[in-house]
Structures are given as C-alpha cells and as structure tokens.
C-alpha cells in the first residue's frame, strides 16, 4: 500500500517536474469494491434520528444523511437506489466501518480528534454545524446561560452535551444542578413537568421538539448561546484518500450547485447553455469533473438532477419542506451568513 | 376433622377478608379507591379521550385529547415489519404466521415424538425463510438486513430456543460425562459464556467476528447473532437441565442397568422424561426471558420490534406520541409472554396427570 502510494507520489512529482501531461488518476480501493459490488453500503440507524435518518410510512429510509448517501450513490453508480442502508446503532457505526459492513458513515457524526486519530478514521468536509443549546421558559426572563444561577438543567445522560453544558456553566461560574435521564423523551417529560429550569440538547433537536412537542411553544425560548459548534461530517476508513476525495467532492458539488444556482429543475437548461465555465465544468459539459476522481464526467449533473442541490436536500429534510422548519442559520452558504463553503473547482 | 366448616356466603367472606377491623376496612377502601382512580385514568386517557384514526392526527394536539392512537393507525406497518419492503408485507405476515403455527402445533401432545417435532420445525423454518427471502420462490429477494419488526423477533426467538435447547441438553450431558476432558470442556464453556453479558456476546458476534474471520466464513450478521444467542441460551439451559439431573436418585440408573437397558436407552426412557419434568418451570422461565431479551439486538442494529417502534415515533410528525407506541408494543409482548406462561401451566398439569 505504502509502496504503491510512494510510486504514485513519485509519478506525480516526475510529471510535475518534467511537464509531462500525465496525471495520477484516482485509484480508490473502496470505489473499486463499490463498483464491483454494484451497491454502496451506507449507515442507517436502529430507529430514527430526527431529520437525518428516519423511516417513512412506506418502510423506506429518508432524511438528510440518507439523501447524501443517495447522492453519493448516483455519483458512483448512476442510480440513487443502488445502495443498501445498514441499520447501525451509534456505538456500532465505527466498528462496522472498520470491518467493511459499510463503505461510509454519514450519520450525524461529529468530527472529533479522538475519532480522527485513535479510531483510525478520516472525515470529509463538514456539511452541517450544530451545537449544544439551552431552552428555558420565557417567564424566567433569562436571555443568556450565565443568568441561570441556581437553576436545574435537564440533559440526556452520557452525551457530549452533558459535558459541554457542565464545562460552559462552570467556566461562567454559574452554580447549577444537572439532572440526567437515559432517554430524550424522559428529559423532555421532566422539563415539561417543571422539574428543571432549562433543557439542554443539540440545537437542531431542540428546535424540532419545540415545533412539534410543545402545545405552548410560545412560552419557551432557545437561548442564543451556542455552547459548542460541532462540525458534522462523513467518516471513512483511514488509508483510502482517494475515497475521501470522492465523498468531499460529492458534498462540494452539492454546495457549489447551490452557490451557482443550479437546481434539479434547471440543470438541463444549464447543461444546454452553461452560463459560465465553472457551471460547465461542474455539470460535465467541459471534461475534467469525472476523470480525476475515477467517475463519469457527468456524475454531478446526474446527482443534481436526481437529488437536487444542497439547499433542496436541506429544505426537504430539515427546512421548510419538513415538519421541523429549521432555519439554515450557520448551515447556510458563506455568502448568506452561514459557514458552508466549497474548495475551488478548477 | 369430622364436620366440614359451615359454608359462608360471598358477602361474609368479603367481610372477613377485607373488613375484619375498622383499620382493615379503611386500608381496603383507600386501596380500592386508588385502584379505581388508576383504572379511570387509564380508561379516560386510553379510550374516552383518545384519538383513533390517522386522518384525525390534528386532533391529538388539542389540550383535551388523550391517547393518540393515530400513530398506531399510521405507522403500525413500520412497527410490525421494520424495514421490510412495503409491497411485500404479506410475505412477512405469512412468515410470522408460519412461525406462530409451528410453535402452537409443537405444543400439541400429538406432535411430541422426535420425528414429528423435527419435521414440523424444519417445515416451519423453511416456510419462514422461503417467504422472507423470496429468491428461491421466484419472488423479489429481500435480504436479511431488511427483516424486522415482529416477524424478526419471532424468528430470532424460535431459532434461539430451537438451537439452544438441544445444545443445552448436550452440554448438560457432557458435564455429567465420565471422561474428564469432555467434562472439563463443557464446564469451561458454560462458565465462560455465563460470565459474559449477553450484550457483549452479541456485540462480539456482530461486530468483532467479521474483523477476525475471512469473508467466506463470516456468513450473514443475523446467523452469527442467532448462533451466539443460542450458545448463550444453551449454557444457561444446560445448568437448568443439570438441576433436573441432580434431582434424580442414582439408583434409577442402576435400576435401568439391572433391567438390561443400555446407557442411552435408560437415559432416554427413564432419566430424560423426569429431567424435563423437573426442569420445566425453570425452562419456561428461560424461554420467557429469552423472548424479551431479543430486544437487545437493537444495539447491534437489527430492526426488531422495539427498534421499529422507536423509528415509528422518531419523526417530526409523531415524536410526541412515544407513550402510545410503547403501550402498543408492550401489549404485543404481553400477549406472547402470557401465552407462553399459560402453555407452561398446561404442560405442567399434563405431566402431573401422567404421574398418576
């Protein structure tokens, strides 16, 4: 493996030095396996995870993460259904990735140092940002977490949220009591029953709950303090950099398409009449998009036609088109006040 | 005693039992009132103020609404079938019926001969597998990762008991063997497996084994789990059988030998029937526990009844109605486990009759 990589590196160096027009084509092991198998193996959930991995009334998977898996499937195999979503628990997702039960984990997974180093994983560019936030009753008149002196905070046990909130309140010198419960439903029950002053959870989840589980949604407020910003990214096995490239450019193409105004409805017009060279490159009108990744030149065009751009996928699963109506916020393009950006498409 | 006690009326009996002293009476009244209040709450929430149909889901959000059974109406196919493809649900239903029929039939004394039982179970399992997988019957193949819900629970449960029961008996016999090596191997295995939590065993089978074994030996995840679960069941069941063996005086073996029966003959004709009788209550207990423990497979990503129930309320529209979903699932578990318990009573009574 190292040997082969060494040769590729040498070849690149030589090509660069001597100006020979060869390039190192992608040679991803995982890509080869997926193409031979004819099926992409993605991570599902053992249950539902709001907006990201859910099951609809027809017993089919849906959600933001599922749509990203389907987009990746189109990019590689040309058909969104040529994948298998393997139900995995949270604890099982990384062992399953290592043992080859899945090709990629796209499952609301935060990019942490431990996972990156000790677990032998590598992460894609982040496609979502979410952090711990607090919800309180409006009648308390609290606007920031630092005013929560002497209050009780309800939180789900054993999550990163528990630690993040504790650290944050300690740093702010806010005396508080932490009450933890095993299940999200129990935490919410306790908060509703008035056993705690604040409910701490992942920001997007609170918004989801507030919109759907509270008859008196107006009586509660989600505090502005973002106690953390967790970058959510796809996780892959260490050692197949070309595979990471493919997943990265799948995400980048979806975000780029939004930036360039390419949607599932206008993609055909754009192909017929590309408004600028970047669009032409993205949609495979000009060559170069596919070869360098080991894919077809038209992969991004097919992917956008089938799944839409990032905005459409977000809207369908978390935004206005979903029961959650979650505002884009941080998860908007950099040009619209968010933090999503793409590498340069040259 | 010569004279029977005088017969007393129901009213008098009640008075004696519940109202013997004023304090007794007070305690009785308080408890009855409390139970009545609880029952009223349950009926009021679950029936009177409940919303029943999926189309009426909007009514669930009103303050006066009780239980929102709309979620069951809308999502029961997800709860019962997991990820099994929607259009093929009849296959999952028939497969579950085949398994239930197999279990019910094998409870009928007519089937209690080795040949009938074995053919019945092979037929039952073959039907289940052929229907669920479908490829051999020329239907669209549904791979095991899509199996889920109630039919998966029934399949797991019956295969674990089916494989685990004879294995357990074998282990128990090995443990009584006169050969020290055989005895040692059996005791080591039993003690080792019993010292591990079920979850660890299953996690190892599902996640660690594929890393260690070559591809061609791995098999499907579901089979690895069934084998690990059966082994776990067998080790506990072996100890149950051992208790049964120990209850039998050694004189009976000698009596068998004196009658000119071989070792296996006296075992199968004299000893084992008594072992089963002694071990029955504990065995029923093991079987009931195993039925409930199948829910553990949720951790290793099988879409069992509980996992599909969580998927059912794990979406924005239904997230508030987890209680209703859990009640529904609890009723399913209750129905099966009560039937198992009643059947255990029936077998016990029947064995008592045999003794006379």
């Amino acid at each position: 493996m190292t040997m082969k990589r060494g040769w590729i590196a040498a070849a690149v160096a030589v090509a660069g030095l001597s100006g020979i027009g060869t390039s190192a084509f992608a040679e991803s092991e995982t890509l080869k396996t997926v193409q031979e198998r004819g099926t992409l193996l993605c991570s599902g959930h053992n249950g539902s995870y709001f907006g990201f991995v859910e099951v609809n009334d027809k017993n089919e998977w849906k959600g933001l993460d599922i749509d990203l898996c389907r987009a990746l499937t189109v990019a590689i195999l040309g058909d969104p259904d040529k994948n298998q979503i393997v139900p995995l628990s949270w604890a099982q997702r990384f062992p399953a990735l290592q043992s080859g039960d899945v090709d990629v984990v796209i499952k609301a997974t935060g990019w942490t140092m431990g996972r990156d180093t000790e677990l032998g994983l590598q992460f894609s560019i982040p496609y979502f940002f979410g952090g711990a936030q607090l919800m309180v009753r409006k009648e308390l008149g609290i606007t920031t977490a630092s005013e929560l002196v002497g209050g009780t905070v309800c939180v789900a046990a054993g999550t990163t949220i528990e630690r993040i909130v504790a650290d944050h309140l300690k740093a702010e010198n806010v005396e508080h009591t932490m009450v933890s419960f095993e299940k999200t439903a129990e935490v919410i029950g306790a908060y509703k029953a008035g056993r705690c002053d604040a409910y701490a959870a992942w920001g997007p989840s609170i918004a989801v709950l507030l919109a759907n589980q509270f008859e008196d949604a107006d009586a509660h407020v989600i505090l502005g303090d973002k106690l953390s910003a967790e970058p959510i990214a796809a996780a892959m096995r260490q050692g197949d950099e070309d595979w990471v490239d493919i997943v990265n450019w799948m995400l980048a193409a979806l975000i780029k398409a939004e930036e360039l105004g390419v949607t599932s409805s206008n993609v055909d017009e754009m192909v017929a009449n590309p408004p600028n060279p970047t669009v032409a490159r993205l949609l495979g009108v000009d060559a170069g998009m596919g070869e360098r990744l080991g894919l077809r030149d038209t992969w991004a065009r097919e992917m956008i036609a089938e799944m839409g751009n990032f905005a459409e996928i977000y809207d369908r699963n978390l935004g206005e088109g979903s029961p959650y109506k979650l505002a884009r916020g941080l998860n908007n393009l950099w040009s619209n006040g968010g933090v999503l950006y793409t590498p340069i498409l040259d | 005693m010569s004279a029977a006690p005088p017969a007393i009326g129901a009213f008098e009996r009640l008075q004696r039992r519940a109202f013997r002293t004023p304090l007794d009476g007070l305690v009785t009244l308080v408890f009855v009132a409390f139970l009545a209040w609880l029952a009223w709450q349950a009926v009021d929430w679950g029936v009177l103020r409940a919303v029943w149909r999926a189309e009426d889901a909007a009514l669930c959000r009103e303050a006066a609404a009780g239980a929102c059974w709309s979620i069951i109406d809308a999502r029961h196919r997800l709860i019962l079938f997991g990820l099994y493809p929607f259009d093929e649900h009849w296959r999952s239903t028939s497969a579950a019926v085949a398994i239930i029929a197999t279990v019910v039939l094998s409870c009928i004394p007519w089937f209690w001969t080795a040949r009938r039982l074995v053919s019945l179970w092979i037929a039952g399992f073959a039907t289940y597998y052929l229907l669920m997988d479908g490829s051999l019957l020329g239907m669209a193949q549904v791979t095991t990762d899509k199996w889920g819900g109630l039919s998966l629970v029934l399949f797991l449960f019956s295969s674990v008991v089916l494989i685990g029961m004879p294995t357990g008996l074998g282990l128990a016999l090995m443990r009584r063997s006169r050969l020290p090596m055989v005895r040692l191997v059996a005791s080591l295995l039993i003690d080792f497996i019993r010292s591990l939590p079920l979850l660890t065993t299953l996690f190892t089978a599902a996640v660690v084994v594929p890393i260690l074994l070559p591809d061609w030996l791995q098999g499907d995840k579901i089979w690895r789990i069934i084998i690990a679960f059966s082994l776990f069941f067998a080790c506990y069941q072996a100890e149950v059988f051992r208790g049964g063996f120990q209850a039998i005086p050694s004189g009976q073996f000698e009596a068998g030998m004196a009658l000119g029966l071989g070792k296996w003959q006296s075992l199968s004709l004299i000893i084992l029937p008594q072992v089963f009788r002694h071990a029955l209550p504990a065995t029923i207990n093991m079987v009931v526990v195993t039925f409930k423990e199948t829910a553990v497979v949720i951790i290793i990503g099988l879409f069992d009844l509980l996992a599909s129930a969580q998927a059912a309320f794990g979406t924005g529209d239904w997230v508030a109605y987890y209680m209703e979903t859990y009640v529904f699932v609890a009723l399913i578990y209750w129905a099966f486990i009560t039937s198992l318990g009643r059947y255990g009573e029936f077998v016990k009574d029947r064995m008592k009759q045999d003794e006379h």
Side-chain angles (χ1 to χ4, degrees), chain A residues 41 86 96-103 237, chain B residues 206 210 218 221 224:
Chain A
L41 303 175
V86 183
L97 180 63
Q98 296 294 10
S99 68
D101 279 354
V102 290
D103 298 312
R237 286 181 288 272
Chain B
Q218 282 178 17
K221 182 164 85 174
R224 292 201 306 271

Side-chain angles (χ1 to χ4, degrees), chain A residues 130-134 160-162 164-165 200-204 206 223-230:
Chain A
Q133 278 179 280
L134 294 164
T160 48
I161 308 285
E162 194 177 3
I164 290 166
V165 174
W202 208 45
I206 303 187
L223 298 183
D225 320 51
K226 291 220 169 54
L227 311 191
S228 63
E230 296 174 20

Side-chain angles (χ1 to χ4, degrees), chain B residues 332-352:
Chain B
I332 295 177
Y333 273 106
W334 178 80
F336 277 96
I337 285 168
T338 311
S339 323
L340 281 174
R342 301 309 310 170
Y343 171 64
E345 291 294 313
F346 159 74
V347 175
K348 213 162 66 187
D349 289 348
R350 198 187 145 83
M351 285 188 164
K352 264 199 202 117

